Amino acid sequence: MIKTGRVLKRKSFLKRRVKELEAVLRKCRKDISAQVWGLRKTNEGIRFLYKDLEKKTEKLLELDRLKSQFVFNVSHDLRTPISIIKGNIFMVLDGAAGAVNSGQKEFLNGAMKSTDHLARMIDDILDFQKSGAKDWKLKTGENDLNELAREVCVPASVAAKKKGLKFSLKLGRAPLKARFDKEQISHVLANLLSNAVKFTAKGGISVRAAGEGKHVHISVSDTGCGVKKEDIPRLFQPFERIGERKKEGTGLGLAISRTIVEKHRGSIWAESGLGKGSVFYFTVPRNGLSYGI
Ligand SMILES: Nc1ncnc2c1ncn2[C@@H]1O[C@H](COP(=O)(O)OP(=O)(O)OP(=O)(O)O)[C@@H](O)[C@H]1O
Ligand SMILES: [Mg+2]
């Protein structure tokens, strides 16, 4: 009897427990379906945002393409009238329209200088546009970095000497063979040299080229004004001009140089201190493995 009573008690306890668990289960099911519904809604929202983002990205890319095309066309079209202006100033200076007195010569020389500056700025903008283009490809071939350095340093050493600066070029005897785009790498070195001459008032400029492991490299050091250590990362950003703005320039030379060197899978960097001069370095791999070739 006692046994039957205990069994009945246990049975009714279990029944109650089952009912309780069923209620919990029902609640869980309800919660889960509410969460599934919520997730579905969130997913729909994400899908909508993603599609919207895709559309906006496409629009932005299209605008960027149009902007580049516009800048390219305008810069390109400006070249022709500028060369005509230069030609005409040259003719007047040369006496083609009659004798030119010294006062007139001075004004015409000023106009010629500014026209040259404008032409250089346009070339910089065109180069910058070109180097940023996705389909821009390097024309790599087997080249000698020493030969390139010798060629590019000729006009730079003349410009340095004109300013009363010393100029030295230190190269090894053996050729420094590597695969790179000669025209583009010449452009990088010419940019670094033009900066070194521009930002150095006294002392000198020294250029070194050497090879190390899988890379060849060039350094250009100067005893010029230098920049603050914290400004070094800004040097390679487009349109950045640090310190005094009296020197002419667009602030694109180093940005273009960085794009060219990185396209070669090389590196470019600077060490500098305010009033302590600067050293700019760049490397390119000997085997010329570059992006987009
Ligand atoms: N050798 C250097 N010494 C001191 N400052 C430098 C040197 N090279 C570059 N800079 C600083 O970095 C800035 C950016 O240089 P970058 O060559 O990009 O432009 P830029 O010379 O002003 O104009 P651009 O090269 O387009 O004619 C310069 O304006 C200058 O402030
Ligand atoms: Mg420059």
Side-chain angles (χ1 to χ4, degrees):
M1 261 324 257
I2 295 170
K3 229 178 178 179
T4 322
R6 238 191 249 155
V7 169
L8 284 172
K9 235 182 184 175
R10 182 99 189 117
K11 208 174 158 188
S12 76
F13 168 75
L14 286 174
K15 251 187 189 167
R16 248 186 294 126
R17 195 75 192 112
V18 166
K19 267 188 187 155
E20 275 168 22
L21 287 174
E22 275 173 355
V24 170
L25 211 64
R26 263 197 306 277
K27 193 175 173 325
C28 283
R29 246 188 235 141
K30 232 180 177 174
D31 285 355
I32 287 171
S33 58
Q35 278 175 12
V36 167
W37 186 83
L39 274 175
R40 237 179 244 149
K41 280 277 157 217
T42 315
N43 252 352
E44 269 170 30
I46 289 173
R47 226 173 286 146
F48 175 78
L49 284 176
Y50 184 75
K51 271 197 180 145
D52 194 44
L53 208 66
E54 255 184 352
K55 266 188 211 156
K56 283 185 176 144
T57 311
E58 262 169 40
K59 229 179 202 168
L60 279 176
L61 285 173
E62 178 59 13
L63 281 176
D64 190 51
R65 204 187 55 74
L66 286 174
K67 181 216 71 186
S68 303
Q69 193 61 47
F70 173 76
V71 173
F72 184 83
N73 288 348
V74 171
S75 318
H76 197 263
D77 289 354
L78 280 173
R79 267 181 165 174
T80 316
I82 284 173
S83 59
I84 294 172
I85 295 170
K86 272 179 71 171
N88 284 322
I89 297 174
F90 181 80
M91 295 294 278
V92 177
L93 268 170
D94 207 38
V100 184
N101 67 35
S102 62
Q104 289 166 333
K105 246 185 201 160
E106 206 177 305
F107 284 123
L108 286 168
N109 278 327
M112 187 67 124
K113 213 173 149 199
S114 293
T115 317
D116 277 340
H117 180 199
L118 194 59
R120 267 198 307 277
M121 277 168 68
I122 288 167
D123 283 346
D124 267 2
I125 292 171
L126 277 170
D127 283 345
F128 184 61
Q129 281 301 127
K130 213 166 60 183
S131 70
K134 266 191 194 153
D135 54 0
W136 181 59
K137 290 219 165 81
L138 299 174
K139 293 181 192 126
T140 48
E142 176 91 348
N143 288 298
D144 176 7
L145 195 66
N146 281 348
E147 186 187 301
L148 178 149
R150 263 183 235 111
E151 284 171 15
V152 180
C153 281
V154 173
S157 67
V158 173
K161 280 169 194 157
K162 252 191 198 168
K163 273 187 89 176
L165 302 171
K166 280 186 202 140
F167 191 95
S168 81
L169 171 63
K170 287 175 189 151
L171 306 173
R173 278 170 186 245
L176 216 46
K177 294 281 185 195
R179 285 188 69 77
F180 55 81
D181 183 324
K182 192 172 176 190
E183 194 186 325
Q184 296 302 327
I185 293 299
S186 300
H187 200 39
V188 174
L189 181 57
N191 273 333
L192 298 184
L193 288 169
S194 97
N195 284 347
V197 174
K198 184 159 57 170
F199 297 106
T200 306
K202 59 176 193 286
I205 292 157
S206 151
V207 183
R208 283 189 173 82
E212 208 180 300
K214 291 182 174 173
H215 287 80
V216 288
H217 57 87
I218 286 198
S219 68
V220 177
S221 20
D222 66 58
T223 54
C225 60
V227 298
K228 286 186 206 151
K229 272 209 163 62
E230 58 266 34
D231 285 335
I232 292 178
R234 284 173 51 205
L235 289 171
F236 299 92
Q237 298 298 323
F239 303 107
E240 282 285 2
R241 297 175 67 207
I242 296 150
E244 50 151 345
R245 295 274 182 129
K246 279 182 212 145
K247 309 272 181 218
E248 73 173 36
T250 335
L252 283 175
L254 289 176
I256 295 168
S257 302
R258 186 178 73 168
T259 315
I260 295 171
V261 170
E262 288 180 352
K263 188 103 176 159
H264 280 84
R265 288 198 184 175
S267 318
I268 184 163
W269 71 98
E271 287 165 6
S272 190
L274 195 60
K276 292 182 182 152
S278 315
V279 191
F280 284 79
Y281 303 87
F282 73 88
T283 70
V284 284
R286 289 187 202 261
N287 62 9
L289 278 179
S290 81
Y291 298 110
I293 294 182

